[in-house]
């Protein structure tokens, strides 16, 4: 396809595709899907080789959020039966992080629900960052605490944070349809504050909320303009008890096209498969590694993910390798810019976190064992609600985390 050859050439040169080219990727047929993946894979391998970066989420404070983001199980008025707890102590958070690091994670993402941190909250997180780094000298830490006030990004950087995550989530034109308690401009402002403070900016999107192809292209082009180092792509998990509980709009093929479009528009950024990969990509997850170079290990914020051991086996079976702690994630030109912004600390300023759009489960679906009866073939057009499992282990519980 001439389109794909053009997109590969542009990706290798870091040249922005046209909007029509990005839209055309989303409109490709199933017959062309493997060609789309292969083309995006050429761009991915040029900038990131066959490395897969592992990130690990620690939910510092779950639920009880005053914001009304329609996609989120922690939102104001949510009836989802998630874990709810206030701030973890630094030693509790450090213990949770250790499980992910032992499983091969390179970065810990510290997330807390809420509109944004108070100055006291920033102090709490600073203590948690210190506790984690005292135990793991080379770990990278990303904070995801909501909207930042003036000076808070600088304080987080001084405390040892390497990155800050705040997602745009959807297009500016449709943002008011999913959230009314803050604006799209508020989110852009926080990403810019992180950039200005020398933190590695991380910002991405949520697909599957009923948006159009034009909306998806709009938000990804906006992300390209903001130029974050890391772009997490979340696939909506329609939690029962949230306004978007009935929005089951994604197929594995659709998810692969979205990831490919993001890779072509942001060729040299860390593209992370974030929330929802188990629920929507399902058995196509290994194929998605040809496009994205980063995933979360284990569980998410309020939902369970695929077993950490299964994540590692998937990466190895697909012919990829886990990125080591001593390896720099970003291409050299990005790492140099990040090093200059962070005052010389180039090896840590190279990625980001996920979002409040947590993902689902790879462990909650049963299988027929010991039976000669053929297993029922799932209807791909039916919502896979059986793959959504509320997290009941790890941070905020007495059970061992999944990593």
């Amino acid at each position: 396809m001439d389109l794909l050859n053009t997109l590969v050439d542009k990706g290798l040169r870091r040249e922005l595709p046209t909007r029509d080219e990005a839209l055309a990727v989303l409109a490709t047929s199933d017959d062309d899907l493997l060609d789309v993946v292969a083309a995006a894979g050429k761009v991915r391998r040029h900038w990131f080789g066959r490395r897969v970066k592992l990130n690990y989420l620690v939910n510092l404070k779950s639920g009880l959020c005053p914001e009304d983001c329609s996609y989120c199980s922690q939102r104001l008025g949510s009836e989802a039966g998630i874990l709810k707890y206030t701030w973890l102590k630094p030693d509790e958070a450090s213990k949770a992080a250790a499980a992910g690091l032992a499983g091969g994670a390179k970065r810990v993402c510290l997330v807390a629900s809420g509109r944004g941190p108070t100055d006291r909250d920033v102090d709490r997180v600073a203590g948690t960052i210190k506790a984690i780094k005292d135990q793991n000298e080379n770990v990278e830490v990303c904070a995801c605490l909501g909207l930042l006030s003036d000076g808070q990004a600088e304080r987080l950087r001084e405390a040892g944070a390497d990155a800050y995550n705040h997602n745009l989530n959807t297009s500016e034109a449709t943002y008011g349809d999913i959230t009314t308690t803050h604006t799209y401009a508020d989110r852009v402002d926080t990403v810019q504050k992180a950039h200005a403070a020398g933190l590695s900016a991380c910002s991405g999107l949520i697909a599957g909320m009923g948006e159009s192809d034009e909306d998806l292209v709009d938000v990804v082009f906006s992300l390209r303009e903001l130029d974050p180092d890391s772009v997490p792509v979340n696939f909506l998990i329609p939690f029962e008890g949230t306004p978007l509980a009935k929005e089951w709009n994604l197929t594995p093929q659709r998810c692969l096209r979205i990831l490919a479009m993001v890779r072509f528009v942001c060729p040299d950024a860390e593209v992370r498969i974030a929330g929802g990969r188990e629920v929507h990509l399902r058995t196509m997850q290994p194929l998605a590694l040809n496009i994205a170079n980063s995933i979360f290990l284990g569980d998410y914020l309020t939902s369970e993910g695929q077993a950490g051991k299964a994540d590692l086996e998937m990466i190895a079976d697909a012919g990829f390798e886990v990125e080591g702690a001593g390896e720099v994630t970003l291409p050299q030109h990005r790492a140099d810019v990040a090093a200059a912004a962070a005052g010389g600390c180039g090896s840590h300023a190279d990625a980001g976190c996920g979002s409040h759009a947590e993902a689902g489960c790879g462990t909650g679906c049963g299988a027929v064992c010991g039976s000669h009866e053929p297993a029922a073939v799932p209807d791909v057009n039916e919502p896979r609600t059986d793959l959504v499992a509320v997290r009941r282990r790890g941070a905020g519980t007495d059970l061992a985390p999944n990593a």
Side-chain angles (χ1 to χ4, degrees):
M1 293 177 68
D2 290 342
L3 167 68
L4 296 179
N5 291 333
T6 297
L7 288 170
V8 170
D9 288 343
K10 287 186 173 183
L12 300 186
R13 300 195 305 267
R14 298 165 57 203
E15 182 180 336
L16 181 67
T18 66
R19 287 182 55 85
D20 285 345
E21 288 167 343
L23 287 166
V25 173
L26 297 178
T28 51
S29 70
D30 286 350
D31 288 343
D32 293 326
L33 183 60
L34 288 180
D35 293 331
V36 172
V37 173
K42 290 180 182 178
V43 179
R44 178 247 203 267
R45 290 191 301 277
H46 177 80
W47 296 112
F48 298 96
R50 302 193 69 82
R51 293 174 285 117
V52 177
K53 183 169 185 174
L54 299 182
N55 309 268
Y56 192 70
L57 282 167
V58 177
N59 198 357
L60 297 177
K61 181 168 74 76
S62 183
L64 312 172
C65 184
E67 302 298 287
D68 68 354
C69 307
S70 300
Y71 52 81
C72 187
S73 61
Q74 304 184 78
R75 73 186 297 272
L76 177 70
S78 171
E79 297 178 359
I82 63 169
L83 291 170
K84 296 178 182 179
Y85 53 86
T86 190
W87 291 92
L88 296 181
K89 294 182 174 61
D91 62 328
E92 294 172 326
S94 181
K95 182 178 179 181
L101 296 171
K106 179 177 178 180
R107 169 158 295 204
V108 173
C109 301
L110 301 176
V111 188
S113 62
R115 178 178 179 83
T118 65
D119 288 341
R120 183 184 178 191
D121 293 335
V122 172
D123 290 338
R124 294 179 198 266
V125 176
T128 297
I129 294 170
K130 182 179 186 303
I132 292 173
K133 291 204 166 187
D134 282 349
Q135 295 296 317
N136 306 275
E137 183 178 356
N138 295 321
V139 68
E140 302 172 4
V141 176
C142 175
C144 177
L145 311 174
L147 301 172
L148 292 175
S149 300
D150 290 345
Q152 290 183 329
E154 288 79 5
R155 290 178 59 199
L156 287 167
R157 180 190 165 198
E158 291 168 4
D162 302 290
Y164 196 84
N165 164 259
H166 202 61
N167 294 331
L168 298 188
N169 289 330
T170 193
S171 68
E172 183 175 11
T174 59
Y175 194 83
D177 295 337
I178 64 166
T179 305
T180 67
T181 47
H182 60 268
T183 68
Y184 180 91
D186 291 332
R187 287 187 168 267
V188 170
D189 178 66
T190 286
V191 178
Q192 292 172 335
K193 280 184 168 71
H195 256 315
L199 292 168
S200 177
C202 168
S203 189
L205 65 143
I206 306 171
M209 297 189 291
E211 69 283 336
S212 66
D213 285 1
E214 289 76 11
D215 289 324
L216 285 171
V217 170
D218 280 349
V219 68
V220 178
F221 270 59
S222 294
L223 288 166
R224 169 70 183 245
E225 186 175 350
L226 280 175
D227 197 30
D229 290 329
S230 176
V231 180
V233 180
N234 296 278
F235 301 112
L236 175 74
I237 296 303
F239 264 96
E240 289 297 328
T242 65
L244 298 184
K246 306 303 179 187
E247 295 288 338
W248 288 85
N249 304 305
L250 298 171
T251 64
Q253 294 81 8
R254 172 77 167 164
C255 293
L256 289 170
R257 291 186 189 95
I258 292 168
L259 287 168
M261 186 270 286
V262 174
R263 173 57 73 197
F264 290 132
V265 177
C266 304
D268 60 335
E270 177 189 349
V271 176
R272 180 175 308 127
I273 316 172
R277 64 180 167 92
E278 297 90 343
V279 177
H280 295 296
L281 279 163
R282 300 191 289 275
T283 58
M284 303 288 266
Q285 291 180 69
L287 198 56
L289 293 177
N290 287 279
I291 306 172
N293 63 296
S294 181
I295 65 172
F296 282 108
L297 177 72
D299 291 336
Y300 300 86
L301 298 178
T302 64
S303 60
E304 293 185 354
Q306 183 168 278
K309 182 174 182 290
D311 287 337
L312 298 177
E313 290 174 347
M314 174 181 74
I315 291 168
D317 289 348
F320 294 89
E321 60 186 28
V322 174
E323 184 173 291
E327 295 180 280
V328 178
T329 301
L330 295 178
Q332 192 61 51
H333 62 276
R334 275 193 175 272
D336 289 345
V337 171
C345 183
S347 63
H348 294 312
D350 57 11
C353 168
S355 83
H356 293 284
E358 52 287 294
C361 145
T363 60
C365 41
V368 177
C369 182
S371 169
H372 296 291
E373 293 296 323
V377 178
D379 184 344
V380 295
N381 296 314
E382 286 295 313
R384 291 300 306 274
T385 56
D386 59 306
L387 296 181
V388 181
V390 173
R391 181 173 67 84
R392 300 296 183 198
R393 60 195 175 195
T397 78
D398 294 327
L399 299 178
N402 171 29

